[in-house]
Amino acid sequence: MLQYSSTESSGFFEKIEGNYCVSASMAPGKLVSSLLIVFMVLVLIPRTYQLQSSQAWSLLRIQTLLNDPPVLSAWDINTDFCNADPTPYLTVVCYEESITQLRISGSGSSPPLPRSFSIHSFFTTLSRLPNLKVLSLTSLGIWGPVPAKISRLSALEIVNMSSNYLYGTIPQRISTLRNLQTLILDHNMFSGFIPDALGYLPLLALLSLKNNTLSGSLPSSFSVLKSLRVLVLSSNSLSGDLPDLSSLTNLQVLDVENNFLGPTFPRLSRKIAAIDLRKNRFGGGLPTNLSSYFLLEELDVSSNKFVGPFLPSLLSLPSIRYLNIARNRFTGMLFGNMTCNDDLHFVDLSMNLLSGDLPTCLISNSSNKMFMYASNCLKIKDHSQHPYSVCQTQALAVEILPHHQKGKSGGKVAVVSGVVIGVVGIFSLVGAAVFFALRRGSIRRATKKPPRRIVEHASNGYPSKLLADASIVSHSVCMFCNLFFI
Ligand SMILES: *[C@@H]1O[C@H](CO)[C@@H](O)[C@H](O)[C@H]1NC(C)=O
């Protein structure tokens, strides 16, 4: 393969030398014009031959290591890599003699590459493209742990290796890539903790690790990731509270959906545009300063353990378009004359403890506006709502229990419960007692930090066998032999 460039160029120089020899015996005028021609030929060497032959060789080696995927079927020793038209699936960009961008995208559901694939050889080959700034290798069946030698690709600015079968921990050494701005490792099988060294990447603006099995809490080093704009950690097994992110004034998107995070609502900059905390263990009340998040367009806190009053001001935030508070225990009265932002096109209040009237500003005939409110205690003549007493009883319970969460003794709660039972009256006495018994148990369980071992082994979409194997199988053994080839 190497012969491609070297043969071509040595042939070319032989020709020039030939001309020169012939010219030497000519008249001086002719010699000058011949030299001029030679000079012009040298200047006008077709750009196509400028890619270093070693880099062309590396690309062909990558093709082989990736098991000749269909997307690379056009590559052979005659390919003019730097001048081929880019497609959505394949882009090679060169600058001077080097490749600066390599984007290869396989088909959606590529199976893992065969056993013979070696991720170490693969990264060794990649490291022979030292000027790579953009590396996107998605859905190619690449499997194995990311070797520390990724740090040799020190020019990298954008990395997207989503939808492969990468496993093991995210290597600490990735933090030596000082130019890294975008790191996307979605839909892989990374496990273990998020390395705190990621928090020290000075230019990191987009980090997306969605749909892996990462565990533990987000390192506190993320508090200083000043350039971070988008943080996506959804569908992992992360737990605990997020570090204070309020000084990340560039952060626009926080998506931590579907983890075990909580219980405290994260501290964020007022300039955030999208917050997705859906399906976690957040509890307590929403911070009242949410009303001052003037750029907030999307807020999803659904399927958590939030309690306390719903903040009506959320409906009228200046930028709000999407609001989902479903499946919590928010309390309070709604009123028909509440004000809403006109751009609000999705509101889900269902499965809370809200009472009162539907805000008329949410009721619309427009088909591109959605408003859901089932399973509350609103005054609506359909069967979607509970009787008012259900919400009233439960609301009293959740108003008391947060004190218990702050460390009051169980005895005091029993006393307060007694008072409440008195207030609610004999009518609901039996129901309330049963409710408290159940609810106190569940809140106490919820407020305890999840036991770490359980969290670490909790899976998110991957079979438990796979996780068990992943922790046993060492680097040199092919974990997929058992898991994917059966
Ligand atoms: C990363 O690659 C995937 C698959 O090709 C693509 O869908 C996604 O948009 C890319 N992410 C970014 C931020 O470019």
Side-chain angles (χ1 to χ4, degrees):
M1 301 171 206
L2 261 172
Q3 285 164 354
Y4 154 62
S5 306
S6 51
T7 338
E8 291 282 335
S9 50
S10 61
F12 179 75
F13 281 108
E14 270 163 28
K15 195 161 163 244
I16 294 172
E17 280 164 21
N19 278 348
Y20 186 76
C21 293
V22 172
S23 305
S25 59
M26 290 175 186
K30 281 208 165 179
L31 179 65
V32 170
S33 61
S34 294
L35 280 173
L36 206 67
I37 290 168
V38 167
F39 175 76
M40 285 178 64
V41 166
L42 278 174
V43 167
L44 298 175
I45 284 177
R47 296 259 149 201
T48 34
Y49 294 145
Q50 287 223 334
L51 183 61
Q52 285 171 16
S53 54
S54 66
Q55 299 219 349
W57 185 89
S58 292
L59 288 182
L60 293 170
R61 175 91 182 120
I62 285 168
Q63 178 185 32
T64 307
L65 288 168
L66 291 177
N67 204 27
D68 297 307
V71 60
L72 301 182
S73 58
W75 279 8
D76 62 28
I77 54 166
N78 297 314
T79 302
D80 177 3
F81 294 104
C82 296
N83 294 283
D85 286 334
T87 73
Y89 304 101
L90 179 60
T91 306
V92 177
V93 176
C94 307
Y95 179 72
E96 294 185 338
E97 300 188 322
S98 290
I99 295 168
T100 55
Q101 291 193 29
L102 177 61
R103 299 176 191 256
I104 309 172
S105 180
S107 66
S109 55
S110 300
L113 290 167
R115 277 174 201 225
S116 55
F117 174 75
S118 159
I119 193 147
H120 289 276
S121 312
F122 188 70
F123 271 86
T124 303
T125 307
L126 282 176
S127 67
R128 302 210 171 105
L129 306 173
N131 298 313
L132 263 189
K133 290 179 191 293
V134 178
L135 178 64
S136 179
L137 300 168
T138 60
S139 303
L140 289 166
I142 298 170
W143 62 265
V146 173
K149 66 182 121 183
I150 191 174
S151 61
R152 291 189 205 162
L153 289 160
S154 57
L156 281 177
E157 293 172 7
I158 296 177
V159 173
N160 186 351
M161 296 202 60
S162 51
S163 304
N164 285 294
Y165 301 87
L166 300 170
Y167 60 83
T169 53
I170 298 171
Q172 286 271 356
R173 290 296 295 277
I174 226 164
S175 64
T176 60
L177 303 174
R178 304 310 283 172
N179 299 308
L180 203 59
Q181 295 163 19
T182 294
L183 178 61
I184 302 160
L185 300 173
D186 299 341
H187 309 292
N188 278 288
M189 304 191 306
F190 286 105
S191 58
F193 297 163
I194 296 175
D196 62 345
L198 277 185
Y200 300 116
L201 284 170
L203 305 176
L204 193 64
L206 192 165
L207 177 65
S208 188
L209 305 174
K210 123 173 70 168
N211 206 354
N212 281 282
T213 47
L214 297 163
S215 57
S217 52
L218 186 66
S220 56
S221 58
F222 277 67
S223 295
V224 296
L225 256 179
K226 295 280 187 210
S227 43
L228 198 62
R229 289 175 186 279
V230 177
L231 179 59
V232 180
L233 304 172
S234 48
S235 299
N236 277 287
S237 301
L238 300 170
S239 58
D241 277 329
L242 294 177
D244 183 348
L245 304 176
S246 58
S247 58
L248 307 191
T249 49
N250 291 309
L251 190 64
Q252 292 167 0
V253 177
L254 174 71
D255 177 0
V256 295
E257 180 177 324
N258 198 15
N259 278 284
F260 303 105
L261 294 163
T264 315
F265 194 94
R267 296 192 56 187
L268 300 164
S269 146
R270 282 172 62 224
K271 289 156 104 183
I272 194 143
I275 305 173
D276 186 353
L277 308 183
R278 180 185 166 86
K279 280 186 98 178
N280 274 287
R281 294 185 177 169
F282 290 101
L286 292 180
T288 46
N289 72 348
L290 264 184
S291 314
S292 67
Y293 285 26
F294 60 104
L295 297 177
L296 192 62
E297 292 175 28
E298 294 186 21
L299 177 64
D300 190 340
V301 297
S302 62
S303 300
N304 277 287
K305 297 173 188 302
F306 284 109
V307 297
F310 168 65
L311 305 173
S313 55
L314 293 179
L315 295 173
S316 57
L317 283 175
S319 308
I320 196 82
R321 296 161 45 78
Y322 181 106
L323 178 66
N324 191 346
I325 66 157
R327 293 169 195 269
N328 283 288
R329 281 176 296 143
F330 285 113
T331 54
M333 294 278 275
L334 301 183
F335 298 99
N337 62 357
M338 282 173 156
T339 45
C340 312
N341 185 321
D342 284 343
D343 294 331
L344 205 49
H345 67 91
F346 183 100
V347 177
D348 191 350
L349 308 179
S350 44
M351 302 187 91
N352 280 290
L353 304 173
L354 302 169
S355 52
D357 296 308
L358 280 184
T360 46
C361 62
L362 289 174
I363 304 163
S364 152
N365 294 327
S366 162
S367 61
N368 48 20
K369 291 204 176 191
M370 298 246 311
F371 174 37
M372 281 154 285
Y373 50 80
S375 297
N376 281 285
C377 300
L378 296 162
K379 276 187 240 156
I380 303 163
K381 290 190 188 69
D382 63 20
H383 298 295
S384 70
Q385 303 296 306
H386 301 301
Y388 178 62
S389 58
V390 171
C391 291
Q392 193 190 31
T393 313
Q394 296 198 19
L396 281 165
V398 295
E399 274 162 27
I400 286 156
L401 284 157
H403 295 291
H404 170 54
Q405 287 178 320
K406 290 191 183 104
K408 296 267 165 70
S409 73
K412 267 197 182 147
V413 171
V415 172
V416 182
S417 303
V419 173
V420 170
I421 288 165
V423 170
V424 171
I426 287 168
F427 177 70
S428 55
L429 182 69
V430 176
V434 169
F435 176 76
F436 280 129
L438 295 173
R439 197 50 74 173
R440 265 167 56 199
S442 73
I443 292 231
R444 220 180 265 149
R445 279 196 299 278
T447 50
K448 268 191 216 148
K449 282 252 161 75
R452 187 154 260 193
R453 275 172 48 197
I454 291 178
V455 171
E456 277 168 22
H457 293 286
S459 95
N460 249 306
Y462 297 111
S464 55
K465 177 176 182 330
L466 188 150
L467 290 170
D469 287 9
S471 59
I472 295 163
V473 176
S474 68
H475 297 302
S476 51
V477 185
C478 165
M479 63 181 286
F480 302 102
C481 310
N482 302 332
L483 301 165
F484 291 94
F485 296 132
I486 285 172

